[in-house]
Amino acid sequence: MKRTTERYTEKQFDTVVVGGGMAGLCAAISAARHGAHVALVHARPVLGGNASSEIRIHISGADQSLKQAQYAETGLIYELMLENKARNDYYSYSIWDAVLFEAAKKEKNLETFLNTVMYDCETEGGRIKSISCVQETTEMRIKFNAPIFVDATGNGTLGYYAGAEYRQGSESKHEFDEPHAPEVANNERMGNTILIKAYDTGKPVKFTPPSFAKPLTEEQLKYRMHCAVHKVDSSMAPDPEEWLRLSGTSCRGVDYGYWWLELMGEKDDIIPDYENIRDDLYAYAYGLWDHIKNGGNHGAENYALEWVGALPGMRESRRLVGDHILTENDILEHKIFDDAVVYGGWCIDLHAAKGLLDFEVLPSDCHHFSGVYTIPYRSYYSKNIENLFLAGRDISTSKLALASTRIIACCATGGQAVGTAAALCAKYGVNPRGLAPHVGELQQLILKDDGFLPGFINTDKADKARTATFTASSHKVGGEPEKVTDGITRRLDGESHAWISDGISASGEKLTMKLSKPETLSQIRLTFDSDFKYPIRVTMAYNRQIQQRIGVPAELVRDYTMTLKKAEKEVRKIVVKDNHQRLNVLDFEPTECDTAEIHITATNGADVITVFEVRAY
Ligand SMILES: Cc1cc2nc3c(=O)[nH]c(=O)nc-3n(C[C@H](O)[C@H](O)[C@H](O)COP(=O)(O)OP(=O)(O)OC[C@H]3O[C@@H](n4cnc5c(N)ncnc54)[C@H](O)[C@@H]3O)c2cc1C
């Protein structure tokens, strides 16, 4: 039959991001905020990738689930989680999806294309000219043209189509001399997983497995905790230290079950085998639940199955090669690269070679370390495709380094760095590699946007607060007002790096910035405390939920007025009510002034005010 219609359109952007997981979303928002006209092309109906309601992996980071809380990732990922925390006390994944969708929709320079799959690309002389996509819901084929592309597909699909150099499986010890590398290179990779969730109904519930369920026995599961009963006492929360101690040994229950339901397939490449693996995971998920319900006493008599994921999350596939391949040695030596743009701190988290089917070993072997490491800018762009950035788990690492960098907060901060870099590429008219002379500017923008880079502080010459004098209505010892310009925006190594008021008087507390000379300002940036000791992520895991507090972090400043003065006369006033963010950016018409007064009248519950940073532009 003759084709009668051609639904086809072509679009031009400054930056096209493919893949709307946390890495791609942060890349797209960041590029848009820095002035680039951005398209985010995403195959699914909801944003967030593995962290979305479709897959429900909770976000971990360099804080190692609170073992080193001072290293929590900030910037965009933290902003999104705080937004969620203010609206979603009961861990609804639908609300989390909406928070992410809203964040993308709000950006005026960002156009998001959901249910849109990139299936090909056109290259010329080692550059990507365009990508071809189809939006399956509308049957529309869309060609996106841009000077800069970001591969945030997880699998490195865009790089693969474009002919980018990539790696899979494990490097041999010989190649990088990594302590945990095998003598001979192999094709082992961590597998895909479907999560399940069940809840206690308070009365006995029957379960009949579907005919396709694959049975599992107690003997096969002897190294995998799979009881339903929580052995920890919730009345002890919120006491994070105690929960930390307990969570390692407690029964995980079936609230966040089970990360070890993991298969990697039999084929050489995990990607073409995805649907076979999916069907097997689906069958094992029901087989496992059948075992828990009907195969002996697992404390699950009253439990009903609420949710079984249908879309497996992927951990490991292609790693695109950049100008630097991050290795396990870089991580264990805690390298601070000159061109660091991201940091990580998760352990080298390796899984059993055959996943669930490796019945005789523990499902994971985590090599722990303290502290953090950095990832250089050179790991975030392709070595041979000159206009291709990488973000997320497909960045340039060895297998062993990926075992740490794949953690979602690390993927998201990488996305933010890449998005900012993409906008700088447009500003300077260069390719990712050509941005190298401007990496200092990129690092400063990351810090300015509430990122953290160990070993780097605010040295932004445009920030007029750095030469101003600060006084305050009161302060605690160690929380002197001038600390708001020491360049670090978190408690670190026993230092507060903040102005901390001595309580809050009935009329509030005042922080005053006296500029070194009158200036025309159009923006003030304030960074408040939120206390990293309390996690704020959305999670199905009960023992992670009860580490958290209900509501907005108490330490965050809630109500304040920022007044600009010239020769003691008020020239501008901005009133802020009900703040629940760490970074507050106040934009206003250019105003000549010599003083800024920040008068804080309420926090979200804390009895002192903590301000890490004031910047003035
Ligand atoms: C079971 C499991 C447990 C895990 N546990 C944790 C944990 O506890 N904490 C933690 O932090 N991390 C954990 N991880 C790791 C983490 O989930 C991933 O490494 C991380 O989500 C990768 O982020 P990303 O943005 O690179 O990719 P993804 O989250 O995979 O997002 C990529 C998105 O790109 C889209 N896409 C792909 N191809 C195309 C295309 N051609 N066109 C358009 N869109 C496309 C996909 O649909 C996908 O949504 C776990 C992973 C798994 C599977």
Side-chain angles (χ1 to χ4, degrees):
M1 201 162 85
K2 197 165 171 282
R3 274 161 48 153
T4 50
T5 49
E6 279 291 343
R7 264 188 261 188
Y8 176 80
T9 182
E10 244 183 83
K11 290 178 182 286
Q12 176 74 40
F13 287 88
D14 296 331
T15 302
V16 175
V17 179
V18 186
M22 294 312 294
L25 177 62
C26 290
I29 292 176
S30 185
R33 285 187 185 174
H34 285 283
H37 183 212
V38 184
L40 175 58
V41 174
H42 184 48
R44 309 298 309 172
V46 289
L47 294 161
N50 280 2
S52 73
S53 63
E54 289 193 306
I55 301 180
R56 307 192 187 188
I57 310 295
H58 60 200
I59 296 172
S60 309
D63 69 343
Q64 298 176 359
S65 300
L66 292 190
K67 286 190 193 114
Q68 40 181 32
Q70 73 272 24
Y71 291 123
E73 285 83 355
T74 45
L76 253 173
I77 182 79
Y78 200 75
E79 176 187 321
L80 294 169
M81 290 198 294
L82 275 175
E83 202 53 51
N84 179 67
K85 190 72 185 141
R87 306 177 194 186
N88 190 8
D89 263 329
Y90 294 95
Y91 309 99
S92 153
Y93 263 94
S94 297
I95 295 178
W96 169 242
D97 285 344
V99 165
L100 300 186
F101 181 66
E102 181 186 64
K105 275 278 161 206
K106 250 180 10 197
E107 292 304 326
K108 63 178 182 355
N109 284 338
L110 171 59
E111 262 184 77
T112 301
F113 298 83
L114 295 180
N115 298 311
T116 304
V117 180
M118 175 214 52
Y119 62 87
D120 203 358
C121 77
E122 197 187 342
T123 58
E124 193 177 77
R127 282 182 76 78
I128 300 171
K129 273 181 70 184
S130 64
I131 60 166
S132 301
C133 303
V134 63
Q135 189 169 54
E136 59 182 28
T137 46
T138 59
E139 300 173 350
M140 180 66 86
R141 289 184 301 122
I142 313 171
K143 184 172 177 178
F144 292 88
N145 302 294
I148 295 285
F149 289 86
V150 178
D151 187 331
T153 59
N155 284 338
T157 310
L158 174 54
Y160 177 68
Y161 289 159
E165 212 178 289
Y166 71 91
R167 292 175 167 236
Q168 290 193 105
S170 189
E171 287 82 4
S172 70
K173 192 161 195 116
H174 169 74
E175 187 164 9
F176 297 122
D177 197 25
E178 294 171 299
H180 296 101
E183 287 304 323
V184 180
N186 64 48
N187 195 22
E188 284 172 10
R189 64 254 150 162
M190 291 179 281
N192 305 344
T193 291
I194 275 177
L195 295 180
I196 66 171
K197 179 175 167 58
Y199 69 102
D200 189 349
T201 64
K203 51 183 189 296
V205 179
K206 279 195 182 149
F207 173 71
T208 307
S211 57
F212 61 77
K214 287 189 184 240
L216 285 163
T217 65
E218 195 62 34
E219 168 62 19
Q220 289 171 323
L221 294 171
K222 62 178 182 278
Y223 286 117
R224 285 155 177 85
M225 189 88 83
H226 58 279
C227 54
V229 178
H230 282 280
K231 290 184 181 154
V232 283
D233 176 6
S234 65
S235 66
M236 299 167 83
D239 180 343
E241 298 229 327
E242 186 61 1
W243 279 108
L244 241 192
R245 194 177 68 74
L246 289 170
S247 61
T249 54
S250 69
C251 179
R252 293 296 290 255
V254 276
D255 44 15
Y256 190 53
Y258 291 93
W259 60 264
W260 45 256
L261 193 75
E262 174 178 3
L263 297 175
M264 31 290 276
E266 298 296 323
K267 304 250 165 67
D268 278 353
D269 189 337
I270 198 166
I271 297 168
D273 212 13
Y274 184 91
E275 290 299 327
N276 296 329
I277 296 172
R278 195 213 80 93
D279 289 355
D280 284 347
L281 281 169
Y282 206 54
Y284 275 122
Y286 279 101
L288 174 61
W289 187 240
D290 183 35
H291 170 77
I292 292 172
K293 286 291 287 183
N294 304 321
N297 182 16
H298 295 92
E301 202 190 355
N302 292 352
Y303 273 63
L305 191 58
E306 180 183 333
W307 177 77
V308 177
L311 183 75
M314 292 189 81
R315 290 182 176 86
E316 182 179 349
S317 47
R318 296 185 195 103
R319 306 184 300 279
L320 300 173
V321 177
D323 277 354
H324 180 84
I325 298 176
L326 190 84
T327 67
E328 188 189 17
N329 290 322
D330 293 334
I331 290 177
L332 297 181
E333 288 164 20
H334 303 285
K335 274 224 180 111
I336 304 288
F337 290 94
D338 287 347
D339 61 342
V341 289
V342 178
Y343 72 100
W346 192 254
C347 59
I348 310 287
D349 186 354
L350 295 167
H351 289 199
K354 291 192 169 28
L356 174 68
L357 305 180
D358 247 337
F359 297 125
E360 297 307 317
V361 295
L362 284 167
S364 116
D365 185 12
C366 218
H367 303 286
H368 292 278
F369 58 85
S370 303
V372 289
Y373 58 89
T374 64
I375 310 177
Y377 176 64
R378 286 161 293 143
S379 293
Y380 285 94
Y381 59 83
S382 164
K383 187 177 175 177
N384 63 318
I385 300 296
E386 62 183 44
N387 60 342
L388 181 61
F389 275 114
L390 324 173
R393 68 177 172 83
D394 61 15
I395 64 165
S396 179
T397 68
S398 68
K399 180 204 168 83
L400 286 165
L402 168 81
S404 171
T405 61
R406 70 194 168 89
I407 280 309
I408 299 174
C410 190
C411 291
T413 47
Q416 179 169 353
V418 158
T420 310
L424 286 181
C425 284
K427 175 177 162 187
Y428 290 110
V430 293
N431 286 327
R433 185 179 288 117
L435 195 69
H438 306 285
V439 156
E441 182 178 349
L442 173 61
Q443 290 165 329
Q444 285 301 314
L445 285 174
I446 291 166
L447 296 179
K448 184 175 175 182
D449 291 338
D450 199 25
F452 173 67
L453 288 175
F456 294 82
I457 63 169
N458 173 18
T459 56
D460 185 357
K461 289 197 176 72
D463 173 10
K464 313 267 180 354
R466 291 179 57 233
T467 51
T469 312
F470 282 84
T471 53
S473 50
S474 74
H475 74 264
K476 281 194 189 296
V477 176
E480 290 75 17
E482 60 272 17
K483 293 205 168 160
V484 295
T485 55
D486 75 1
I488 295 176
T489 53
R490 58 182 61 205
R491 285 183 199 83
L492 206 59
D493 304 327
E495 263 285 332
S496 75
H497 297 290
W499 165 55
I500 307 172
S501 73
D502 190 13
I504 308 177
S505 72
S507 59
E509 297 289 326
K510 214 178 259 183
L511 178 66
T512 304
M513 171 177 76
K514 188 114 189 94
L515 296 171
S516 55
K517 60 180 174 48
E519 298 276 6
T520 301
L521 298 184
S522 57
Q523 187 185 73
I524 295 278
R525 299 169 88 94
L526 304 167
T527 310
F528 302 126
D529 184 25
S530 58
D531 200 342
F532 297 151
K533 281 206 309 297
Y534 298 96
I536 55 168
R537 61 185 165 179
V538 65
T539 174
M540 295 196 297
Y542 177 68
N543 65 347
R544 297 302 181 198
Q545 291 177 354
I546 55 182
Q547 289 177 323
Q548 307 198 16
R549 296 176 291 184
I550 295 287
V552 171
E555 299 72 22
L556 282 171
V557 164
R558 195 188 71 191
D559 302 332
Y560 64 97
T561 304
M562 199 280 301
T563 309
L564 296 183
K565 289 186 172 171
K566 188 172 174 211
E568 301 196 352
K569 274 218 181 89
E570 181 181 314
V571 286
R572 185 167 296 281
K573 184 184 260 186
I574 297 180
V575 178
V576 177
K577 293 257 181 241
D578 294 327
N579 170 56
H580 56 260
Q581 280 295 341
R582 204 180 110 92
L583 174 65
N584 281 213
V585 180
L586 307 178
D587 286 309
F588 44 87
E589 288 299 311
T591 306
E592 202 177 323
C593 60
D594 53 33
T595 304
E597 278 176 9
I598 300 140
H599 182 199
I600 298 167
T601 48
T603 63
N604 281 283
D607 53 12
V608 293
I609 294 161
T610 306
V611 180
F612 286 120
E613 187 166 76
V614 178
R615 290 184 181 224
Y617 294 91

